[in-house]
Every structure is written in C-alpha cells, then in structure tokens.
Amino acid sequence: MPEEMVAARAPEMASRGAQQVDVAVVGAGFAGLYLLHRLRKAGFTAIALDSANDVGGTWYWNRYPGARCDIQTIDYSYTFDPELESAWTWSEKYATQPEILRYLGFVADRYDLRHDIRFGTKVTAATWDETADRWLLTTDNGAPVSCRHYIMATGCLSAPKAPEIDGVKDFKGEVYFTGRWPHEEVKLAGKRVAVIGTGSSGIQSIPLIAEQAAHLTVFQRTASFALPAHNGPSPADRVTLLEQDRAAYREQARWSLVGVPWPQQTDVSWQLSDAERRERFEKAWAAGDLAYILTQLWADQGVDIDGNALVAELVREKIRGIVKDPETAAALSPHDHPFGAKRPCLDTNYYATYNRPNVTLVNLRQEPIKAITASGIVTDKRSVDVDVIVFATGFDAMTGAIMAVHPITGRAGKSLSSAWAQGPQTYLGLTVAGFPNLFMITGPGSPSVLSNMAVSIEQHADWVVDRLAAMREAGFTTIDATETAQAAWAQHMADCSMMTLHRLANTWYTGANVPGKAQGVMPYTGGLGPYRSICNEVVSRGMLGFKLTGPNVPEQVNDGEVVRLQPDVRLVLGMLAEMNLPPIESLGAQGARDFVNEFNKGRPAGRPVGEVGAGMLQGADGPLPYRLYRPATPGPHPIVVYFHGGGWVLGDELSDDPFCRDMCRRTGMIFVSVGYRHAPEHRFPAAAEDGYAATRWIAEHAADLGGKPGPVLVAGWSAGANIATVTCQLARDRGGPQIAGQLLVCPVTDCRFDRQSYTDNAVGYFLTRALMFWFWDIYCSPADRTDPRASPLRGQLAGLPPAFVVTCEFDPLRDEGVAYAEALAAAGVPVRQLQAGGHFHSSFVMVDVVITGVSGRLQMAEALQRFAGLQVTPPHAIAAE
Ligand code: N01
C-alpha cells in the first residue's frame, strides 16, 4: 500500500479498539463537569478525560497556601440548577481552594458524573479523520477515543510556564510550583524560603509562607496592584440581593460586562470632585471586590488612561500607607501598567507582610536574577541562600493547555500549532476554521478570564451543546467555521481591544509573559453580555460563519461576518433600537429640537478645557451666539471656526460641546462654535451665509478672542461640515478671510440621493435616508439644491484650503464625503481621508461613548495642527487613550 494511503488510513486503523463516543471532553474542571452533565441530558454519549486523579481542574492543581477564588463565591458558582444552588452554601465570601474542590466533587457526585471521567489520562494527540468525520484522541493511559465532537475544556491557566532562569536544576533544596503544589503537606517552618513571582498566586501565598518561614525573600519583577479581600462571610447586602430574586440576579450577571451583576457606571471622573472620587475609592477598597473596583468607580477608569491613573495613584497611596519602609513601598507600587490592564490581585495582609522582620523584597528591576545555584539565588547585587524555592511564575495562559495536546491535526493534515503560529485565530473563541467539530470552552477570543469564569463557562457549554443538538436534529454531522468569519472575528477582537487599556500592559493576557509567544490581547475585551448577544445572533442568523455538512442533507454554508460595526457602535445602536424612538422626522422641527436637547442631557459631560466663554458675533443678517473653547496652554492659539451638525435644522452652538472640548484639548487650539441660523425659520442660504460671515468676523476679531491673528481654520460635522466647506469656497471667491485648512467630518456635500451608501445605510444607523430627505426639504427647495452653497461638490474646488475628510462606513453620507475628497484631490487641493470602518454618522461626536472614535479624533487633531503649522502632538497619545 502506498505511504499516503497508509497515512490516510492511520486514524481509521488506530480507531479500531478505540472507545467510541459522540463527544469527548478534555478536562474535568468547572467546564468539563458542566459539559458532561449537559451532554448527557441532551442524549449524547460523552466522556471526559483528565490527567488529574480527581475532578477540579485548576482547583485540583493550585493547592498552594492561601489559594482562593477572587470572584465572590455566591457569583463563582454554577447557576444552571436552582436545586443545586440551594443544596450548597459557601462558608466564606472567597472560598479556599479545598472548599471549591469539595464543591466540584459535590457537583460531580450529585449528577453522577465520575463514571464518565477517565482520570489520570492525558490526551496526547488529536487527529481529524476526514473519511469518518470523527476525531481520534490518543492518550497516555488506556484506549484511544473516537468521537464525533471534541471539546477542549482545559482551562485558561492550566499549563504552568517554565521559570526561564538558569540553574534551576542545580538547586539542591526543595522546589515547588504554585500551579503544581503537592498534595501532601509542605513544611516550611523554620526554613529559608524564596518566592519568585508576585502575581495572584504569589500575592495569595506570600503572607502565609511568611508566617511559617524563618525568613522569606520575595523576588519581584513586576509589581502588581492588590487590594484587600476582606474575607469573611458573604456580604449581607449581596446575599440579600441574590435571595430576593435569584433568577433575576443570575440573569443580570449573564448580561453584565464581567459576569457579576453590578450596574454600568455612567459618571465620568472629571465630573467628580477629588473628595467624591476618594469617597468612591474608599468604598471600593472597603468592599474588597475585584469586579466592584474594576467597574464601579467611574466610567472612564478602564478605557481612558487619565481616568485610570486616578485609581492607580489612589492604590499606590494605600501601599505607601501600609508599608513602613519607603523604599519597599516604592518597589511594591506599580507604575508600568494601568490599573486592571493586568489582573489585579485580592490579598489578605499582602502589603503588611513586608513590615515583618523576616521578609525581604528583592526588586528584580534593579537587580535581575543572574542564576539559581545549588544553594540559592544570585542577583546582580547579592546572593541569597535558601532551603526552598517557590515558583509563582504563572502560566502559558489561554493557549498553553490547548496546545499541550500536540499535535491537534485538523483538515488536510494541518496542525493547530501551525494555524496559530502567529497567535490564536478563532471564531468566537469557540471554534477554529479547518478544525471541524472542535470546540474550546473559554478559548482565546472569548471573554474568559476577563469575566466571571463560572458564568462564561455555562454560556459556552450551553451554546455548544445546544448547537450539537440542533445539528443532530437537522442531520448535520460536521460544523466548521469559515475563514471569512474567523478573519472578521480577529478584526472585531482588534477593534474591541482598542476600547480598553489591556493592550497597554505586558501580561499573560497578551502572551508577553512567555518568551517567544505571539503577542496580542487574547481574551475578548468587548464584555460578556455583548459577547453573549453575538453568539445568539450567530444562531438567529442561521449559523452565520459556519459550514455544516451531513451524509444525507445538503451542505449549508452561511459565510459572513457577524459583527461589522465597531463594538461600542454596536452597543449604542442596540440601545437606541431598544428605546424604540419615533423617527425624528415625525416630530416636527421643534419636537425634533426638543428631542435632541433631551437626548444630549444623557451623554457624558465634555472634558474640562482651559476656559469656556460665550458671546455674540456678526452673522450674515444680524448677531449670532457663539461658544469659545480655549486650551489651558498659554496663548495666543490658532482659531478653528466650528459648525455643529443637525441637518441645518437642529442643534446649536452648544450641541457638539463634548466634541469641541475634546478637539480643543487635543489640538491646543481655540474652537469657536457658531450658532448659525436654522431652517425652517431661516432656509437656504441663511446657514451658509452665516457660516461665511461668522468666519470673517472671527478672523477679524482673532486677537480680541485671544487667538493668533492670521489665517483661521474651519471644521464641522455633518451639515456643519457642509457649511465649513461652503465657507471655504465663499472665502476664496469673496477675497477672504484666509483659511488654513478644513476638517470635514461626515460632510453633506451633494443633493443626490442615489449613491450606494444611501441604499446600504438607509435605515438602522440613526441617521436615516428618510431623515436626510426631511432635512433637505426643510432647508432648501429643490431648485436651490444644486447651488454650490448647498451642494459644494458642484462648486469650483481648485484653490481651496487643504482638507481632512472623515467618512464613516455605516452612514448614508459616506459616498458623497468620499466623492468630495476625491474631487478636491482632482482639483489639486491637498486632501487626506479617513474612511472609518465600522463607524456610523455620530461616532466621532459621541465623545466618551464611542471610545473607538478616539483614534479618529487624534488623526483629526493632527491634521488641524499640520494645517496651522503647529508641532503635531506625538502619537503616544493614541496609545495613551
Ligand atoms: O501568574 P502571573 P499567577 N523571573 O503571571 C513573575 C489567576 N489566579 O499564577 O510580571 C522573575 O500573574 C512575573 O513577573 P512579570 C489570575 O487570573 C487567580 O500569579 O512577568 N519573575 C509575575 O510577577 C492570575 O492573574 C487566583 O514581570 C518571573 C509572576 O511571576 C493568573 O491566575 C489566584 C519570572 C507570575 O504572575 C495568573 O496568576 C492565582 C522570571 N523568570 C491565580 N517569570 C485567584 O485568586 C515570571 N515571573 C482566583
């Protein structure tokens, strides 16, 4: 038989004698147990395999002193069975590892799961058999397993990472890894102990080790943020909340951002005084709850570097207050990552431990470890002899345990390690294209470690088992993600990672803790609730992004991208849809204005600038109000004349206040927002002529306004951008004023409605085609619409100031904006474009709501600075935001 045929038949031959099941689950921890239970209930034959000798997963292995959960136990529990919930009562707010292990054993017994678990059995390799449409798993103990579906429930933090320090093998004393702590008692009393690593494992174990050891030396490379757990009984208020309405509490957790039912915080840090912020922080410090302190201080703490720095400094202040030696306190104070970007730790007496006479901290940033020797640890500056070394050095997280089954061979002999050579690629964090019928529970690309794992695990297991049942019902035997869906998920992950600060820290979240590992934020940062809704959407849209096949049914390929919007735009549009608002055009002009005013009251307050002033200027036909935003830096500053959006009908000089403030801060320029006249009271060309007159007046009064005399700049959004560019045309034709540049954000440039974006984005993205019709009708009679003062695309474009034109993918105005930019370029005007993918018409003016709009505004600010001949703000601001 030719070699290829032998190879092709290898799985078939090996599967003879294999244990045959519908589904094989690798891992018997939180995820594996629940899967087994669900699979059985759904009528599948299933088996779980685990290299441990009992259930528990991560809680089986992590037995080091002080090991506890860091999500309150009332939340860190199964919720699928109310009877189970009432049958078990946790003894503490944060249960110890032995209690959690007992709980998992209790669950295994209650649902009689153990007899379907093969303990002490490591899966060594997995191969997809293309002919049989089955996986073959080989093991280090007993028969291989042939299964239709193969589910990795191996946990995110199960593969301890090697310590990467020379000489570990030379050490003659005892060596322990927190992630593989012995089952028998480890006696540390009277011994000289070293702990390497100050993540959660180190921080939990150090205080207890210090109590036993003769001397403890802690080797710290990166300081972590830690807060007191204040362990004890579960807090009465949380228990009451749960018991009042258990189902509602659990449901709220399922749809929350992190899997713990806290409300979404809406106050932003700059709205709160120092005293108010401190009060909130003290409350969070006293609460001893990670989910609380990460979500409940102020809305910008996790998404904005300035809002985050306020929390970080308050924690550092606490550290200084606890640790008596200032040098040690300084070393323990993290400065190299935002609070929460690396998982903060919950501790009991951690910082106070450094006040003990038998504890020494070695700051490896100042004296790196050179080697481990037979007798201890040698740094650049000292040699520390010890009897015991504890490695609390962490895990090859998220991917390590999956890749530990090696090789996992999918279609066409492709291995998972080659598919993931540049980092994990998944669809929904659940599946991998080319690896049919393989599922991962809390895999890379899912919320996993950024959420309450118990809630994430139930969501994943339910989703997978429900899909398997639905496939069986429909006669499908294979399911495989499409490449398109997977690539789009990678894009969505990248978009999401721009919303939070996780990308700014080198952590196990990003793979940075393992030398040579591909880097990138691995967990899904868009939040658990949004993730759940996406998974549901995949199903409701006919298994979007999956190919399904079966022997007796036609193949179903539903290729596509489940999320094309930016994650925060998706949330905003979802919220707007839920509000079930009447069409704005049905409200009449005054009704629509009232609506916009009301709507704007609910948005976050704009950020502080140096000074905000108000006054009157001369418009085309009388005085007009204006708002002036002055930067805090010394002037005089260049002036940007700004025109608000609102279809020539709505808004006023205040209505784009957060945008003007944000741009004023970013550019270091004065923004003057003009209250031009509106239709229907003042129809075309009132707004256009006011725009021109106001710009002239502002240019003439630049010095009085504290601005730099000389050319001004113009900017606007939507109809305001129409006025801005019309102003440029009029200024060129009427002999001034001089305009140095124009920023046009989603401009109206033409009265034609037949461009593709008017069809693609006619409804569903807030600014609708019908609303644009209405605006045009109110502003301008059909006969006037081709006038370049209404449709600047029809004007002469040569000789206009340089332009930066921003368009958004999901905006009816997209194509006329692009057309304008192209026409400007064709006319010889220097022009740059930002075509913002996944954004909608309002993305950039919804400051501090659409967080992913920040990078676009940075580019806008940079463009204005260049137009004005200013030094461009360095791009680090992008990372900082
Ligand atoms: O691991 P870590 P962990 N030389 O990666 C240091 C969960 N968990 O096991 O940051 C010197 O956080 C490393 O330094 P650096 C929780 O999600 C939960 O503590 O790479 N030092 C770091 O200080 C947690 O986040 C609980 O510079 C070296 C430490 O070792 C996750 O598990 C309890 C080094 C590793 O910290 C991981 O926590 C425990 C070297 N060669 C864990 N290599 C609960 O409370 C690494 N380090 C539920």
Side-chain angles (χ1 to χ4, degrees):
M1 198 185 296
E3 249 176 55
E4 315 80 73
M5 280 179 71
V6 174
R9 294 204 51 202
E12 186 194 318
M13 283 163 11
S15 69
R16 286 193 199 131
Q19 184 176 1
Q20 304 284 331
V21 284
D22 296 330
V23 188
V25 176
V26 185
F30 250 102
L33 293 180
Y34 181 50
L35 271 166
L36 214 47
H37 170 65
R38 279 268 2 233
L39 286 162
R40 251 198 221 161
K41 272 186 72 169
F44 293 102
T45 56
I47 186 176
L49 303 109
D50 200 308
S51 56
N53 288 323
D54 200 352
V55 299
T58 206
W59 297 107
Y60 175 89
W61 297 107
N62 285 270
R63 297 163 179 258
Y64 58 85
R68 291 175 188 272
C69 56
D70 61 2
I71 297 280
Q72 290 197 27
T73 37
I74 58 166
D75 299 304
Y76 189 65
S77 314
Y78 290 115
T79 67
F80 64 87
D81 181 354
E83 284 181 19
L84 168 64
E85 289 203 47
S86 45
W88 181 269
T89 307
W90 293 102
S91 67
E92 290 183 284
K93 178 180 170 189
Y94 298 107
T96 57
Q97 173 269 339
E99 187 175 5
I100 300 172
L101 197 58
R102 273 201 305 281
Y103 171 70
L104 292 171
F106 171 78
V107 171
D109 293 339
R110 186 179 175 89
Y111 300 99
D112 191 20
L113 301 175
R114 286 180 200 275
H115 67 79
D116 282 332
I117 305 174
R118 278 171 59 181
F119 292 113
T121 306
K122 195 173 168 203
V123 176
T124 49
T127 309
W128 175 248
D129 180 345
E130 305 252 13
T131 37
D133 280 351
R134 291 178 77 84
W135 281 95
L136 181 71
L137 311 187
T138 52
T139 75
D140 69 349
N141 180 15
V145 178
S146 167
C147 54
R148 174 76 70 206
H149 300 281
Y150 158 38
I151 308 180
M152 291 295 274
T154 34
C156 298
L157 295 153
S158 317
K161 151 189 117 76
E164 308 121 13
I165 302 171
D166 287 346
V168 178
K169 289 198 179 73
D170 301 335
F171 182 61
K172 298 279 185 262
E174 299 160 54
V175 171
Y176 300 105
F177 286 81
T178 49
R180 289 287 180 272
W181 200 259
H183 286 213
E184 55 282 1
E185 192 192 351
V186 174
K187 294 201 170 91
L188 299 174
K191 294 181 181 164
R192 297 162 303 165
V193 181
V195 172
I196 302 179
T198 52
S200 298
S201 305
I203 283 176
Q204 283 185 332
S205 57
I206 283 165
L208 293 173
I209 294 175
E211 282 174 15
Q212 301 172 46
H215 196 92
L216 167 65
T217 310
V218 177
F219 293 83
Q220 171 193 273
R221 191 162 62 186
T222 305
S224 298
F225 288 101
L227 45 136
H230 298 304
N231 201 18
S234 289
D237 55 339
R238 298 306 289 172
V239 174
T240 308
L241 202 63
L242 171 68
E243 285 175 354
Q244 264 166 3
D245 188 345
R246 195 170 279 271
Y249 182 97
R250 296 297 188 209
E251 195 58 8
Q252 199 190 331
R254 291 183 187 114
W255 290 97
S256 67
L257 284 182
V258 298
V260 181
W262 291 108
Q264 187 118 4
Q265 182 53 247
T266 52
D267 296 336
V268 280
S269 60
W270 57 93
Q271 277 179 303
L272 304 168
S273 65
D274 280 353
E276 286 168 326
R277 285 197 297 264
R278 191 169 286 275
E279 192 187 325
R280 285 178 180 219
F281 175 77
E282 290 295 345
K283 193 173 162 202
W285 191 262
D289 185 311
L290 265 190
Y292 184 89
I293 203 169
L294 284 168
T295 61
Q296 298 299 300
L297 295 178
W298 34 90
D300 47 314
Q301 67 179 93
V303 297
D304 180 83
I305 200 74
D306 294 336
N308 186 278
L310 295 163
V311 194
E313 186 44 33
L314 286 164
V315 179
R316 289 191 288 262
E317 202 181 291
K318 286 286 185 193
I319 299 171
R320 291 193 292 272
I322 301 168
V323 180
K324 292 192 179 126
D325 172 42
E327 204 183 318
T328 306
L332 288 168
S333 300
H335 281 280
D336 62 353
H337 63 277
F339 175 77
K342 180 177 185 190
R343 191 179 183 92
C345 313
L346 274 189
D347 77 89
T348 301
N349 298 329
Y350 175 63
Y351 292 118
T353 296
Y354 292 93
N355 295 333
R356 296 173 63 106
N358 69 331
V359 176
T360 309
L361 178 70
V362 176
N363 182 352
L364 298 180
R365 296 282 176 211
Q366 287 171 0
E367 45 176 312
I369 295 178
K370 278 183 16 193
I372 291 178
T373 62
S375 60
I377 299 171
V378 181
T379 73
D380 271 5
K381 293 191 181 157
R382 68 184 105 178
S383 187
V384 183
D385 284 350
V386 290
D387 306 307
V388 179
I389 300 178
V390 174
F391 288 100
T393 39
F395 300 89
D396 180 358
M398 310 288 299
T399 55
I402 297 172
M403 307 290 264
V405 175
H406 187 71
I408 297 175
T409 310
R411 280 195 205 284
K414 185 160 186 178
S415 72
L416 191 64
S417 48
S418 67
W420 282 10
Q422 306 303 317
Q425 303 295 317
T426 71
Y427 182 37
L428 305 171
L430 278 160
T431 59
V432 184
F435 295 79
N437 295 11
L438 165 64
F439 296 93
M440 294 164 300
I441 302 301
T442 62
S446 76
S448 57
V449 290
L450 296 182
S451 68
N452 174 355
M453 286 296 254
V455 179
S456 271
I457 283 169
E458 284 191 344
Q459 185 268 341
H460 268 190
D462 288 342
W463 194 93
V464 171
V465 178
D466 289 347
R467 302 291 63 74
L468 298 191
M471 282 172 63
R472 182 180 54 191
E473 181 88 354
F476 292 119
T477 49
T478 75
I479 174 168
D480 196 1
T482 69
E483 294 286 350
T484 313
Q486 183 163 290
W489 191 249
Q491 180 59 51
H492 179 59
M493 286 281 294
D495 291 342
C496 286
S497 78
M498 292 309 288
M499 287 197 307
T500 70
L501 302 175
H502 294 101
R503 68 188 188 284
L504 303 182
N506 292 326
T507 64
W508 59 262
Y509 290 149
T510 64
N513 67 328
V514 177
K517 188 166 174 172
Q519 307 271 306
V521 181
M522 289 185 285
Y524 178 78
T525 54
L528 183 65
Y531 174 82
R532 177 184 294 273
S533 86
I534 292 168
C535 290
N536 292 352
E537 189 179 330
V538 165
V539 178
S540 68
R541 292 172 68 185
M543 292 305 284
L544 184 63
F546 284 108
K547 176 174 156 185
L548 302 169
T549 65
N552 304 313
V553 286
E555 176 178 290
Q556 175 188 309
V557 187
N558 188 0
D559 204 4
E561 305 164 356
V562 63
V563 186
R564 293 182 55 210
L565 292 167
Q566 290 291 330
D568 38 10
V569 169
R570 182 175 180 276
L571 289 182
V572 167
L573 290 173
M575 269 158 23
L576 288 169
E578 267 178 30
M579 289 161 81
N580 218 357
L581 300 167
I584 294 175
E585 63 275 21
S586 70
L587 300 173
Q590 194 49 49
R593 285 171 190 161
D594 295 343
F595 164 79
V596 169
N597 286 341
E598 263 323 290
F599 189 78
N600 284 347
K601 280 185 197 157
R603 67 189 175 181
R607 296 191 185 219
V609 295
E611 183 195 348
V612 179
M616 300 299 286
L617 54 76
Q618 192 57 36
D621 191 28
L624 300 173
Y626 70 81
R627 265 276 149 143
L628 184 144
Y629 301 86
R630 194 187 311 284
T633 51
H637 307 94
I639 296 183
V640 180
V641 184
Y642 180 76
F643 301 102
H644 65 82
W648 308 283
V649 178
L650 313 175
D652 54 31
E653 70 278 13
L654 286 173
S655 54
D656 291 348
D657 175 84
F659 181 74
C660 290
R661 286 170 180 268
D662 189 79
M663 293 302 292
C664 167
R665 287 163 61 96
R666 289 181 193 283
T667 56
M669 298 183 193
I670 291 173
F671 266 62
V672 183
S673 176
V674 178
Y676 57 87
R677 287 171 297 162
H678 291 150
E681 295 84 352
H682 306 281
R683 282 166 62 84
F684 175 83
E689 291 295 343
D690 274 353
Y692 171 68
T695 305
R696 200 176 54 196
W697 188 92
I698 291 166
E700 284 164 4
H701 294 81
D704 305 338
L705 296 171
K708 213 166 155 182
V712 292
L713 301 101
V714 293
W717 167 55
S718 193
N722 169 281
I723 296 170
T725 197
V726 166
T727 293
C728 292
Q729 296 192 11
L730 297 178
R732 176 200 57 199
D733 299 342
R734 296 178 184 175
Q738 263 196 304
I739 297 176
Q742 45 180 332
L743 167 65
L744 311 177
V745 185
C746 305
V748 184
T749 70
D750 195 29
C751 56
R752 254 177 60 194
F753 303 121
D754 57 357
R755 291 186 173 83
Q756 191 62 38
S757 55
Y758 256 99
T759 312
D760 291 350
N761 307 315
V763 288
Y765 304 105
F766 200 53
L767 177 66
T768 61
R769 174 190 169 101
L771 182 56
M772 275 312 297
F773 284 179
W774 185 71
F775 284 144
W776 272 106
D777 284 345
I778 294 186
Y779 179 50
C780 201
S781 66
D784 287 332
R785 289 186 193 178
T786 52
D787 185 315
R789 288 176 299 170
S791 294
L793 184 59
R794 292 165 194 249
Q796 292 297 320
L797 302 184
L800 291 181
F804 189 70
V805 182
V806 180
T807 52
C808 291
E809 185 181 2
F810 296 98
D811 181 358
L813 304 183
R814 177 192 68 205
D815 292 349
E816 66 193 76
V818 172
Y820 194 63
E822 286 170 356
L824 285 170
V829 176
V831 60
R832 276 181 50 213
Q833 284 193 61
L834 167 62
Q835 297 189 11
H839 281 287
F840 79 131
H841 187 69
S842 304
S843 279
F844 292 109
V845 292
M846 294 188 88
V847 178
D848 294 310
V849 176
V850 177
I851 310 296
T852 52
V854 167
S855 70
R857 284 199 302 280
L858 273 165
Q859 293 179 56
M860 295 177 208
E862 188 186 306
L864 288 173
Q865 287 170 330
R866 283 190 207 284
F867 296 154
L870 294 185
Q871 208 177 350
V872 168
T873 309
H876 77 260
I878 293 188
E881 297 288 339

